[in-house]
Amino acid sequence: MAKTTRKKSGRVRHWRTAANSDRHELYELSVQGTESDCAFIDRVFRQRQHRTPHSLREDFCGTGLLAREWVSWRNTNTAVGIDLDPAVLRKGRERIASLPLAARTRIQLKKGDVNKVRTDPADVLVALNFSYFIFRTRAQLLEFFIHARQGVAAGGMIVIDAYGGSGSWSIGEEERSLDGFTYVWHQARVSPITHEVTNHIHFRFPDGSEMRRAFTYVWRLWTLAEIKELLIEAGFHAPVVYWEGTDRKSGEGNGVFKPSRSGEACEGWIVYIVAEN
Ligand SMILES: C[S@@+](CC[C@H](N)C(=O)[O-])C[C@H]1O[C@@H](n2cnc3c(N)ncnc32)[C@H](O)[C@@H]1O
């Protein structure tokens, strides 16, 4: 439920409104789960590589929330985040400034195109929240995976995610009530021919105000088979899809992702895909 404060007049004032909210903060609160991402990366890396991962490169890092979480996760961890947009990087750097000094020295946000920037090879390269769906042809996605592979150390891993299911092909809005605001996922356009989709994120507030189209994504909805094939073409080994288990009581996802060969025909799913260099 939205937190509210009571004015002296007795009128209730809502603490979040479209006018006083930062869309990047709302985005982080709505769609990012960086603690569970770090736990997943750590667990799967140890299982597959039999050692502890330390260096992480976050492509399409936005405000670099995952990179920040990673350097706080273990005091030997380092992170490099890459994004094209100077405005999100500015936000990210402001937040890095509030990390303890020891963590601050182990994180760097770089402005650049993920397909051009060169970095020291990392144990793990991540591209989450479907950011690589901006590549809308096979050739473009292959180019991204080839470039990403150059950023992964030998014996390292790429970790990406993907979504799908019958519901991803329908037009409509899905609302989720969060801390003082409502997150709205709006699937506005889907093309069964090109597999292109246009999705928006809107934020609505208890005072009736709205931040419409706070974010818009024009993506290709890639299938898991295509993604696995392209990872192999780019030189990665053994791509594995990690499918989320189901909570028996609620029927919803339980947050536990395990390797799966076939998945399940459900309305909506999100998976991690992991491949080795
Ligand atoms: C959906 S946000 C992802 C934010 C965050 N990584 C997450 O997991 O939620 C996508 C980001 O990709 C950035 N971006 C788009 N094309 C890019 C490119 N070619 N190189 C680097 N960043 C890019 C955008 O500026 C945007 O900040």
Side-chain angles (χ1 to χ4, degrees), residues 23-33 176 178 181-184 201-203:
R23 70 188 181 116
H24 296 293
E25 185 195 355
L26 300 180
Y27 174 92
E28 289 181 350
L29 292 168
S30 304
V31 304
Q32 295 196 273
R176 207 155 26 98
L178 295 170
F181 68 100
T182 300
Y183 159 81
V184 185
I201 292 177
H202 316 299
F203 297 113

Side-chain angles (χ1 to χ4, degrees), residues 164-171 187 264-269:
S166 52
S168 60
W169 289 107
S170 49
I171 304 287
Q187 295 178 180
E264 214 184 301
C266 52
E267 198 186 334
W269 47 257

Side-chain angles (χ1 to χ4, degrees), residues 80-203:
V80 178
I82 294 158
D83 202 285
L84 273 180
D85 180 355
V88 287
L89 292 173
R90 208 174 311 119
K91 291 268 170 209
R93 292 191 182 113
E94 278 166 26
R95 290 173 198 180
I96 287 174
S98 62
L99 287 176
L101 179 63
R104 247 184 282 159
T105 57
R106 291 182 278 108
I107 182 170
Q108 205 191 345
L109 298 187
K110 279 191 169 195
K111 180 182 170 305
D113 183 332
V114 292
N115 278 344
K116 298 210 172 91
V117 164
R118 293 203 171 271
T119 53
D120 289 340
D123 290 329
V124 185
L125 184 144
V126 288
L128 293 183
N129 268 314
F130 331 116
S131 307
Y132 67 95
F133 282 11
I134 56 156
F135 299 120
R136 303 215 286 275
T137 66
R138 253 185 139 266
Q140 286 171 351
L141 187 53
L142 180 61
E143 185 194 355
F144 168 61
F145 286 156
I146 289 173
H147 196 85
R149 190 167 159 244
Q150 291 165 7
V152 181
M157 292 183 342
I158 184 169
V159 178
I160 55 182
D161 58 3
Y163 79 95
S166 52
S168 60
W169 289 107
S170 49
I171 304 287
E173 289 190 358
E174 194 184 292
E175 289 192 351
R176 207 155 26 98
S177 232
L178 295 170
D179 187 19
F181 68 100
T182 300
Y183 159 81
V184 185
W185 177 247
H186 177 188
Q187 295 178 180
R189 183 183 69 99
V190 298
S191 165
I193 294 181
T194 62
H195 268 226
E196 280 183 18
V197 297
T198 303
N199 300 323
H200 306 289
I201 292 177
H202 316 299
F203 297 113

Side-chain angles (χ1 to χ4, degrees), residues 149-273:
R149 190 167 159 244
Q150 291 165 7
V152 181
M157 292 183 342
I158 184 169
V159 178
I160 55 182
D161 58 3
Y163 79 95
S166 52
S168 60
W169 289 107
S170 49
I171 304 287
E173 289 190 358
E174 194 184 292
E175 289 192 351
R176 207 155 26 98
S177 232
L178 295 170
D179 187 19
F181 68 100
T182 300
Y183 159 81
V184 185
W185 177 247
H186 177 188
Q187 295 178 180
R189 183 183 69 99
V190 298
S191 165
I193 294 181
T194 62
H195 268 226
E196 280 183 18
V197 297
T198 303
N199 300 323
H200 306 289
I201 292 177
H202 316 299
F203 297 113
R204 294 185 185 134
F205 302 88
D207 69 343
S209 61
E210 183 176 22
M211 215 185 263
R212 220 177 145 66
R213 297 191 179 182
F215 297 92
T216 292
Y217 306 104
V218 181
W219 283 336
R220 171 156 167 183
L221 198 49
W222 290 93
T223 66
L224 297 176
E226 289 167 320
I227 295 165
K228 284 173 72 180
E229 284 164 10
L230 286 166
L231 284 166
I232 290 170
E233 270 183 54
F236 284 105
H237 303 285
V240 173
V241 172
Y242 286 75
W243 195 266
E244 190 177 10
T246 308
D247 182 90
R248 279 206 195 133
K249 275 192 191 148
S250 66
E252 300 287 319
N254 64 3
V256 182
F257 291 81
K258 294 194 176 154
S260 171
R261 280 172 193 267
S262 56
E264 214 184 301
C266 52
E267 198 186 334
W269 47 257
I270 290 178
V271 295
Y272 289 105
I273 306 156

